[in-house]
Amino acid sequence: MGNGELEHRELREPSAQAAFSDIASPIVDEAIEQAKGVASNPSAEGLHQLRISMRRLRSLWWSYRPLLDAGENTRQGDLFRSLSDSAGKARDYDILIELLKQQQRGGKALPSEISDARQKALDTGRTVLSNPEMKTILLDALSQATRELAARKDRTPLQTFSDGRVIASEKQLRRRMRRAATVKNSNVAAFHDVRKAGKKTRYLLELFGPVLSGGHGKALNRLKKIQKRFGALNDVVVSENLLRNNASLLAGIADPEKTLKWFRKERERRLRAAAALLRKYRK
């Protein structure tokens, strides 16, 4: 390919380096607006949406890892994960409450200890994520990565880059699926790794969708099914851990042993359902 043809191609198709800000900026802006909403009217759903934005940013930064300083890229990824975790605590208690309602089938009122813990998590998330410094942190992360990419002398066509990073993400997902398929069903960590890898691949397909070569509709549908089935498993695992690791939450439940037994059985049932879907998609 001659220099003239290469220059013409770059005019038609932006480079991955040049496109980064256009992809990342809307997510950063959305996260900043969501943080403002959390500050003025905190809700578990608002925090959940902010958590999704943090996960999307983390996935995007992961995709650009080959083009960014490794140490700084890891630091930013850890930052997004920390913010995501802060946003998710209250949502975890909401899921626990819903599962307890299922277990009790409209029986006794839930203990005040659980609603108090949920409110505390909501307040903590609001305090962390409504901090004015959060806007500065996110804008600094965007600015730094944009400058670093602009300073690179090489240029990678956006489609080539996007295809390659989606393929890398899909390979990681397949490795985790193979591992989960070979471990005992009691190994929830392996299934959780599949869920995380599936989310990352889904986010990348959505972020890079317009420029990817080929169709990915079938892959997206599969990922949504994995996310739903494996997310249901994660819900019961997280809720069970909340109960087991917080004696005060169990204190107000009339029959804690019966409740824990129900969660154990529900976890096993959802593990089997997740394993069945895994077998289906590995054929």
Side-chain angles (χ1 to χ4, degrees), residues 20 60-73 144-146 148-149 152:
F20 173 80
L60 181 61
W61 254 254
W62 176 89
S63 72
Y64 271 84
R65 186 165 60 182
L67 303 180
L68 293 169
D69 175 76
E72 184 61 22
N73 185 262
Q144 181 171 339
T146 301
E148 185 178 343
L149 290 167
R152 291 182 65 99

Side-chain angles (χ1 to χ4, degrees), residues 158-170:
L158 178 58
Q159 185 181 78
T160 302
F161 173 81
S162 302
D163 285 342
R165 295 311 286 160
V166 166
I167 288 172
S169 177
E170 290 174 335

Side-chain angles (χ1 to χ4, degrees), residues 7-42:
E7 290 174 0
H8 180 65
R9 179 178 179 179
E10 288 179 345
L11 288 174
R12 289 188 293 107
E13 179 185 354
S15 67
Q17 291 86 341
F20 173 80
S21 181
D22 290 337
I23 300 171
S25 293
I27 312 174
V28 169
D29 291 343
E30 184 177 37
I32 291 171
E33 287 303 309
Q34 289 166 338
K36 289 181 180 177
V38 167
S40 61
N41 185 27

Side-chain angles (χ1 to χ4, degrees), residues 39-84:
S40 61
N41 185 27
S43 68
E45 181 58 27
L47 286 167
H48 176 61
Q49 293 303 318
L50 182 53
R51 176 166 62 170
I52 291 175
S53 294
M54 291 298 107
R55 287 173 173 170
R56 294 178 72 207
L57 286 173
R58 191 177 178 211
S59 297
L60 181 61
W61 254 254
W62 176 89
S63 72
Y64 271 84
R65 186 165 60 182
L67 303 180
L68 293 169
D69 175 76
E72 184 61 22
N73 185 262
T74 298
R75 191 184 75 81
Q76 294 296 351
D78 290 343
L79 169 65
F80 297 141
R81 180 175 57 187
S82 176
L83 293 173
S84 173

Side-chain angles (χ1 to χ4, degrees), residues 54-215:
M54 291 298 107
R55 287 173 173 170
R56 294 178 72 207
L57 286 173
R58 191 177 178 211
S59 297
L60 181 61
W61 254 254
W62 176 89
S63 72
Y64 271 84
R65 186 165 60 182
L67 303 180
L68 293 169
D69 175 76
E72 184 61 22
N73 185 262
T74 298
R75 191 184 75 81
Q76 294 296 351
D78 290 343
L79 169 65
F80 297 141
R81 180 175 57 187
S82 176
L83 293 173
S84 173
D85 289 344
S86 297
K89 297 299 183 182
R91 177 77 170 184
D92 290 344
Y93 280 101
D94 281 349
I95 292 170
L96 170 62
I97 290 169
E98 288 304 313
L99 287 171
L100 285 172
K101 288 179 179 178
Q102 290 181 33
Q103 185 260 330
Q104 296 185 8
R105 297 181 181 178
K108 296 181 179 179
L110 297 178
S112 60
E113 287 84 356
I114 293 179
S115 57
D116 290 345
R118 186 257 187 196
Q119 186 61 48
K120 182 178 180 181
L122 185 62
D123 292 341
T124 300
R126 178 189 186 185
T127 299
V128 172
L129 297 167
S130 64
N131 190 320
E133 290 185 2
M134 182 179 168
K135 178 179 179 179
T136 302
I137 290 171
L138 291 177
L139 291 177
D140 283 351
L142 173 63
S143 177
Q144 181 171 339
T146 301
R147 287 196 306 270
E148 185 178 343
L149 290 167
R152 291 182 65 99
K153 294 182 180 179
D154 59 319
R155 285 292 178 266
T156 307
L158 178 58
Q159 185 181 78
T160 302
F161 173 81
S162 302
D163 285 342
R165 295 311 286 160
V166 166
I167 288 172
S169 177
E170 290 174 335
K171 285 181 178 179
Q172 184 185 73
L173 173 58
R174 286 195 295 271
R175 286 196 301 270
R176 294 186 177 185
M177 289 176 72
R178 286 196 297 270
R179 180 176 181 275
T182 58
V183 300
K184 294 181 179 180
N185 278 359
S186 59
N187 190 333
V188 296
F191 285 82
H192 184 53
D193 286 342
V194 171
R195 174 174 170 266
K196 291 190 295 184
K199 276 190 173 184
K200 179 165 62 182
T201 301
R202 176 184 173 181
Y203 291 147
L204 294 186
L205 287 175
E206 292 171 345
L207 289 169
F208 294 130
V211 299
L212 292 173
S213 59

